[in-house]
Every structure is written in structure tokens, then in C-alpha cells.
Amino acid sequence: MQVREKQLRTSLTRNAGKIVVKVGSRLLSRQGRVDVQRIQQLSQQISSLANDGRQVSLVSSGAVGTAMTLLDSDRPTGLGLLQAYAAIGQAELIQQYNREFEKHGKRAAQVLLTIDDMDDRQRYLNLRNTFISLFELGAIPVINENDCVATEEISVTFGDNDRLAANVAMLVDADLLIILSDVDALYDRNPCEADACRIGWVEQLDDRTRKAAVDPGGEERSFSKGGMSSKMEAAAMAASVGIPTLIAGGHVPDILEKIMAGEEQG
């Protein structure tokens, strides 16, 4: 890692008092089912950050996937059934997070949002006040899109939870947005290719980085909506108001601790 990149990473993470962490459906799934162990590991790391005095918000996908696990079912088709799965899965997902946070002296606070909440000024200000109060109470906001009241297909509202995470980062004036993925970084080509090279630092979203933002796909695709291109767009949204974004591999042991130590991740 170049000296300048190391200095920038260390400075950004050391001074980050407000952090938004986003985890995707594919990261939370294993062999077509919700990976409870991954939720336990992430909850422990997020609790550690919060116990260090940082204000941490978690944007978590996985409601529909959790329902698929509970009901032993494939992903349904049709808006009504998808919304029903989201309702069933969200209830279990927030309970799982709360159980794990409580082991470390923290408590989860469920926040379900729609794009209208961000567009309406009064609702936006109310949300800001709610987050301020949650942090004062020592809670960890766990945010997802409110799929149950979506008026379009679930795959089209915020677009995916990457953009939702960028919106939340702007809402809470975050110092850092961390997007954890099943892909450990942005690469100059499909990371499945043997000669793919990691891109460790991006100053601006240009044609080169847009072309590099390919999605390698995988067996967990039925769980998820976003890909690397949506993560780059989310990073561009956050950067437009001065919030840096780090895209890293959520499967790396103690990934959040390593990121906050300024290590070469993502």
C-alpha cells in the first residue's frame, strides 16, 4: 500500500465518529440460507465500535432471504408475496440482531424507510431527530427498506440497499460509509479472472472505474439485488457531500477492526 493511501486510510478511520455499515444479502447467506454465524460475527464487531464511543448505524439486507429460510422456500414472485416474505423475515432478522447486540451490552432499534421519507423535508428532519435520540440512548439503528409498503417491485425502490446506505450516511452526517460485500474490493476487471488487480483508492468515479465495476455473480444471486456498480454509485452519492466510502469483504475475519486500524482492506 502506498504511503499516501496508508495515511489517508488511517486519518479517515481514526477520526470517524459516525459510521454507517451496510451488509448485503449475499454476505448474510450461505448455501441458500441465512448465515446466523455471520450475523453473530458482524454484531460483535459493530457492538465493539459502538462501545468505543462511535455512533454506528447498520443498514442490513436479508429480510426476504430470512423468510425463505424460515419457510424453507425459494424466492417468491409477485409483489404481494414478496412483501409478505419481507414482513416475516424482517421480524426474525431484527430479533437475531437484537439477541446478538444484547450479548455485548447494546440494543437494536429497527428503522424501516421508504424513498418518500428522504424526499419529504419534514419527515427527513424527524428522522434526523430520531437517530440523534437513538444514539443518545446507546442503541444501534438497524435500517432496511420498508418493502411492505413499497408501491413498485421490491427491486426498484431505493434501487438496492447500497443507495439506501448512502442516503442514511447523508442523513446522519456520517464520517465514513463502509459497504461490506462478498467481493473484497473493487477490481480492474472481473475478480474471478486470475490477473484481476485490486483498486485500492479511487479519487473520482470515472469511465475506468465504472467499467471495472462488474458483478461476478454467484449462487447466492437469488438473495440479492445490488452489485459492484450499485456500490460505486452509492460511493459517488456519499462523496458528493464529502463522505468517504470503503467497500470491503465482509467474510474477512474481524474486518471492521482491520478497517478501523487503517489496514489495507477493500
Side-chain angles (χ1 to χ4, degrees), residues 161-171 177 233-235 237-238 243:
N161 275 359
D162 297 320
R163 293 180 182 87
L164 173 59
N167 275 278
V168 171
M170 292 186 282
L171 174 72
L177 169 60
E233 293 299 336
M237 288 174 60
I243 301 172

Side-chain angles (χ1 to χ4, degrees), residues 78-84 86-87 112-117 145-159 225:
L79 178 58
L81 200 52
L82 276 168
Q83 290 175 318
L112 299 178
L113 300 176
T114 68
I115 193 67
D116 291 338
D117 297 322
E145 185 162 6
N146 192 355
D147 292 325
C148 298
V149 298
T151 55
E152 301 178 54
E153 289 295 333
I154 285 179
S155 60
V156 200
T157 40
F158 275 103
K225 296 182 284 190

Side-chain angles (χ1 to χ4, degrees), residues 33-219:
R33 292 295 180 263
V34 169
D35 189 344
V36 176
Q37 185 177 15
R38 183 65 50 77
I39 290 177
Q40 292 172 342
Q41 294 168 349
L42 289 169
S43 298
Q44 185 276 323
Q45 294 177 67
I46 290 167
S47 297
S48 179
L49 291 178
N51 285 327
D52 282 342
R54 303 179 196 264
Q55 296 179 351
V56 188
S57 302
L58 172 63
V59 177
S60 177
S61 303
V64 172
T66 299
M68 289 164 57
T69 300
L70 291 172
L71 301 175
D72 194 22
S73 167
D74 294 331
R75 185 179 177 91
T77 58
L79 178 58
L81 200 52
L82 276 168
Q83 290 175 318
Y85 269 57
I88 293 171
Q90 186 64 36
E92 174 63 21
L93 189 63
I94 194 67
Q95 287 186 61
Q96 288 187 15
Y97 277 122
N98 196 52
R99 284 194 294 267
E100 296 306 319
F101 286 147
E102 285 185 331
K103 294 177 183 178
H104 308 284
K106 309 305 292 184
R107 181 173 293 278
Q110 178 173 267
V111 181
L112 299 178
L113 300 176
T114 68
I115 193 67
D116 291 338
D117 297 322
M118 298 295 182
D119 288 340
D120 183 272
R121 181 63 177 170
Q122 188 58 55
R123 288 157 73 175
Y124 188 87
L125 293 175
N126 288 343
L127 272 172
R128 284 177 63 91
N129 290 333
T130 297
F131 273 87
I132 290 171
S133 297
L134 288 174
F135 292 135
E136 289 175 347
L137 292 169
I140 298 175
V142 179
I143 304 115
N144 200 351
E145 185 162 6
N146 192 355
D147 292 325
C148 298
V149 298
T151 55
E152 301 178 54
E153 289 295 333
I154 285 179
S155 60
V156 200
T157 40
F158 275 103
D160 53 68
N161 275 359
D162 297 320
R163 293 180 182 87
L164 173 59
N167 275 278
V168 171
M170 292 186 282
L171 174 72
V172 301
D173 293 326
D175 301 306
L176 180 64
L177 169 60
I178 300 174
I179 299 179
L180 297 181
S181 173
D182 58 333
V183 179
D184 65 354
L186 175 69
Y187 286 81
D188 61 354
R189 66 199 68 190
N190 192 318
C192 295
E193 297 181 21
D195 56 349
C197 295
R198 184 183 69 91
I199 300 174
W201 192 266
V202 176
E203 295 286 351
Q204 63 181 6
L205 188 61
D206 53 22
D207 289 342
R208 173 174 173 264
T209 50
R210 289 180 189 275
K211 289 178 181 178
V214 297
D215 181 11
E219 62 180 358

Side-chain angles (χ1 to χ4, degrees), residues 11-32:
S11 175
L12 289 173
T13 55
R14 179 188 294 126
N15 299 319
K18 296 180 182 179
I19 302 169
V20 174
V21 178
K22 184 266 179 180
V23 294
S25 296
R26 276 190 281 183
L27 181 60
L28 295 178
S29 63
R30 180 171 58 182
Q31 297 179 337

